[in-house]
Amino acid sequence: MRAGIGYDSHRFADGRRLVLGGVPIPHEHGLAGHSDADAVAHAITDALLGAAGLGDIGAHFPPTDERWRDADSIRLLEQAVGLLSERGFSPVNVDVTVVCEAPKIGPHVPAMRARLARALGVEPDAVSVKGKSNEGMGWIGRGEGIAAMAVALVDEG
Ligand code: MG
């Protein structure tokens, strides 16, 4: 078994949809980014790549690559799972914390777990998603964006 950690953040932007963990979430802003800016999917992708010693999301899916413009980040996650699989690694479980003042993450957790589990090839009970506020502090507290942290365990089969 090997563990990896991932972190991502994106700033809020007008005129964008908010997508977290592959799930569209009704909110007054979306997140700025080259892809759909799904910070949850990106943090998990980095955690998986890290666990397998395969570098990071920027190396595999560079923001200069037009293929990933407005991309569904679940596709990036699935490709990362494929890269791991080619090297004999399979995801065991992931745990994610999403930090933002709004929107409320809790109501969307079951849909995110189901969507992420499908992409990872694990059961939903092997995917944990938790929402936290930042108690009004700093850039997150001012509602400037969203951060996500993820830990992934992979099995070297
Ligand atoms: Mg990102």
Side-chain angles (χ1 to χ4, degrees), residues 8-10 37-39 42:
D8 195 30
S9 59
H10 284 267
D38 183 338
H42 293 178

Side-chain angles (χ1 to χ4, degrees), residues 11-155:
R11 86 177 48 243
F12 282 121
D14 292 330
R16 300 263 303 174
R17 313 191 296 153
L18 179 61
V19 180
L20 290 173
V23 174
I25 293 176
H27 193 53
E28 60 218 50
H29 336 274
L31 294 170
H34 180 65
S35 65
D36 63 4
D38 183 338
V40 171
H42 293 178
I44 295 172
T45 301
D46 255 352
L48 289 169
L49 291 170
L54 291 175
D56 66 22
I57 192 169
H60 292 280
F61 311 106
T64 50
D65 189 332
E66 282 303 309
R67 272 182 303 171
W68 308 118
R69 180 177 296 282
D70 295 325
D72 175 353
S73 295
I74 292 292
R75 301 277 162 267
L76 276 65
L77 180 57
E78 288 169 343
Q79 289 214 16
V81 171
L83 288 169
L84 264 70
S85 165
E86 286 168 17
R87 289 163 178 80
F89 293 104
S90 53
V92 175
N93 77 296
V94 300
D95 185 20
V96 189
T97 297
V98 186
V99 190
C100 59
E101 302 299 328
K104 284 263 172 274
I105 298 302
H108 307 286
V109 164
M112 283 193 236
R113 292 178 75 189
R115 185 70 196 93
L116 291 165
R118 259 204 326 278
L120 293 165
V122 300
E123 295 299 318
D125 67 4
V127 179
S128 160
V129 179
K130 309 180 300 297
K132 295 286 288 181
S133 93
N134 212 41
E135 299 289 333
M137 295 180 287
W139 63 269
I140 295 175
R142 292 191 295 272
E144 294 174 14
I146 286 182
M149 283 163 270
V151 171
L153 194 67
V154 303
D155 192 5

